[in-house]
Amino acid sequence: MRAELGFLKWEAMGHFFSDGDYLGFNQSDYRGAIAEYEKAWELLSSGWQQQTGGADILEGIADFALRSEDPDLAAEILDSLLPRVNRIAETSLRDACDKLARLASQRPQD
């Protein structure tokens, strides 16, 4: 993956993950953590890169949304993840989306 991305993108991804982890795990800033992981996703420019490295990024995004215990954030993230998850046939991603859907269903009905 590193050779496919190139050194600068690889390094940038590492920074995005590090910043995201810090925000999510240390600051409980789940939206900020998700934003950093989304930046890493944006660096995956080819279908092969998304298939190869994308599942871990999307699982990280789902994990932060679940940790937030915020049904609104879960619904928002689920909507953004589903099209990408459908392109990456990964069982763990589908499981994460199922968990997000359960959390999102806890939103108050208007």
Side-chain angles (χ1 to χ4, degrees), residues 5 8 15 20 23 27-28 32 41-43 45 48 52-53 55 60-61 65 72-73 79 81 86 89 92 99 107:
L5 283 172
L8 292 178
H15 289 290
L23 289 170
Q27 301 293 315
S28 297
W41 171 266
E42 292 300 319
L43 293 177
S45 55
W48 181 87
T52 305
I61 291 169
D72 292 324
L73 180 58
D79 287 343
L81 284 184
N86 289 332
S92 60
K99 290 176 186 174
R107 292 189 314 184

Side-chain angles (χ1 to χ4, degrees), residues 4-60:
E4 175 78 17
L5 283 172
F7 180 75
L8 292 178
K9 283 186 177 181
W10 182 260
E11 288 292 311
M13 286 182 80
H15 289 290
F16 294 142
F17 293 139
S18 178
D19 291 349
D21 288 350
Y22 177 78
L23 289 170
F25 295 126
N26 297 316
Q27 301 293 315
S28 297
D29 177 1
Y30 300 111
R31 285 188 182 275
I34 290 167
E36 292 299 316
Y37 271 58
E38 288 286 359
K39 290 177 188 176
W41 171 266
E42 292 300 319
L43 293 177
L44 302 178
S45 55
S46 74
W48 181 87
Q49 291 171 355
Q50 292 173 356
Q51 289 282 338
T52 305
D56 290 336
I57 295 171
L58 298 180
E59 284 180 39

Side-chain angles (χ1 to χ4, degrees), residues 79-110:
D79 287 343
S80 77
L81 284 184
L82 282 176
R84 296 180 279 182
V85 168
N86 289 332
R87 291 192 309 257
I88 302 173
E90 187 77 33
T91 304
S92 60
L93 277 175
R94 298 226 181 265
D95 292 344
C97 286
D98 289 344
K99 290 176 186 174
L100 282 173
R102 283 194 294 278
L103 178 57
S105 72
Q106 296 173 11
R107 292 189 314 184
Q109 301 300 316
D110 294 326

